[in-house]
mmCIF file of all heavy atoms in Angstrom:
data_model
loop_
_atom_site.group_PDB
_atom_site.id
_atom_site.type_symbol
_atom_site.label_atom_id
_atom_site.label_comp_id
_atom_site.label_asym_id
_atom_site.label_seq_id
_atom_site.Cartn_x
_atom_site.Cartn_y
_atom_site.Cartn_z
ATOM 1 N N ALA A 271 116.487 106.926 77.128
ATOM 2 C CA ALA A 271 116.909 108.110 77.874
ATOM 3 C C ALA A 271 115.808 109.163 77.914
ATOM 4 O O ALA A 271 115.543 109.758 78.968
ATOM 5 C CB ALA A 271 118.177 108.685 77.248
ATOM 6 N N VAL A 272 115.156 109.392 76.779
ATOM 7 C CA VAL A 272 114.108 110.415 76.733
ATOM 8 C C VAL A 272 112.932 110.031 77.628
ATOM 9 O O VAL A 272 112.418 110.846 78.397
ATOM 10 C CB VAL A 272 113.646 110.633 75.274
ATOM 11 C CG1 VAL A 272 112.444 111.554 75.237
ATOM 12 C CG2 VAL A 272 114.776 111.225 74.440
ATOM 13 N N VAL A 273 112.494 108.777 77.547
ATOM 14 C CA VAL A 273 111.370 108.332 78.366
ATOM 15 C C VAL A 273 111.756 108.328 79.840
ATOM 16 O O VAL A 273 110.974 108.739 80.709
ATOM 17 C CB VAL A 273 110.902 106.931 77.918
ATOM 18 C CG1 VAL A 273 109.832 106.389 78.862
ATOM 19 C CG2 VAL A 273 110.365 106.976 76.497
ATOM 20 N N GLN A 274 112.954 107.869 80.159
ATOM 21 C CA GLN A 274 113.413 107.788 81.541
ATOM 22 C C GLN A 274 113.474 109.154 82.204
ATOM 23 O O GLN A 274 113.119 109.318 83.372
ATOM 24 C CB GLN A 274 114.797 107.120 81.583
ATOM 25 C CG GLN A 274 115.498 107.169 82.926
ATOM 26 C CD GLN A 274 114.930 106.194 83.934
ATOM 27 O OE1 GLN A 274 114.093 105.377 83.594
ATOM 28 N NE2 GLN A 274 115.395 106.276 85.164
ATOM 29 N N ILE A 275 113.920 110.163 81.469
ATOM 30 C CA ILE A 275 114.124 111.486 82.052
ATOM 31 C C ILE A 275 112.848 112.321 82.032
ATOM 32 O O ILE A 275 112.520 113.011 83.003
ATOM 33 C CB ILE A 275 115.262 112.215 81.307
ATOM 34 C CG1 ILE A 275 116.591 111.483 81.525
ATOM 35 C CG2 ILE A 275 115.366 113.674 81.752
ATOM 36 C CD1 ILE A 275 117.721 112.001 80.671
ATOM 37 N N MET A 276 112.085 112.252 80.936
ATOM 38 C CA MET A 276 110.978 113.182 80.746
ATOM 39 C C MET A 276 109.686 112.749 81.420
ATOM 40 O O MET A 276 108.903 113.591 81.872
ATOM 41 C CB MET A 276 110.723 113.387 79.250
ATOM 42 C CG MET A 276 111.804 114.143 78.513
ATOM 43 S SD MET A 276 111.407 114.341 76.764
ATOM 44 C CE MET A 276 109.845 115.197 76.847
ATOM 45 N N THR A 277 109.406 111.453 81.470
ATOM 46 C CA THR A 277 108.082 111.002 81.873
ATOM 47 C C THR A 277 108.018 110.672 83.359
ATOM 48 O O THR A 277 109.040 110.364 83.983
ATOM 49 C CB THR A 277 107.661 109.769 81.060
ATOM 50 O OG1 THR A 277 108.573 108.685 81.320
ATOM 51 C CG2 THR A 277 107.675 110.074 79.579
ATOM 52 N N VAL A 278 106.831 110.706 83.895
ATOM 53 C CA VAL A 278 106.618 110.338 85.288
ATOM 54 C C VAL A 278 106.590 108.822 85.384
ATOM 55 O O VAL A 278 106.140 108.128 84.488
ATOM 56 C CB VAL A 278 105.289 110.921 85.813
ATOM 57 C CG1 VAL A 278 105.354 112.421 85.856
ATOM 58 C CG2 VAL A 278 104.110 110.466 84.961
ATOM 59 N N GLY A 279 107.092 108.324 86.471
ATOM 60 C CA GLY A 279 107.070 106.875 86.668
ATOM 61 C C GLY A 279 108.424 106.221 86.799
ATOM 62 O O GLY A 279 108.745 105.700 87.845
ATOM 63 N N PRO A 280 109.288 106.224 85.749
ATOM 64 C CA PRO A 280 109.050 106.684 84.374
ATOM 65 C C PRO A 280 108.183 105.694 83.597
ATOM 66 O O PRO A 280 107.903 104.602 84.071
ATOM 67 C CB PRO A 280 110.457 106.760 83.793
ATOM 68 C CG PRO A 280 111.206 105.695 84.534
ATOM 69 C CD PRO A 280 110.641 105.652 85.935
ATOM 70 N N GLY A 281 107.799 106.110 82.397
ATOM 71 C CA GLY A 281 106.943 105.286 81.558
ATOM 72 C C GLY A 281 105.486 105.652 81.652
ATOM 73 O O GLY A 281 104.652 105.080 80.961
ATOM 74 N N GLY A 282 105.173 106.638 82.493
ATOM 75 C CA GLY A 282 103.788 107.027 82.670
ATOM 76 C C GLY A 282 103.393 108.179 81.771
ATOM 77 O O GLY A 282 104.188 108.615 80.932
#
Side-chain angles (χ1 to χ4, degrees):
V272 173
V273 174
Q274 171 75 7
I275 295 171
M276 291 180 58
T277 62
V278 294

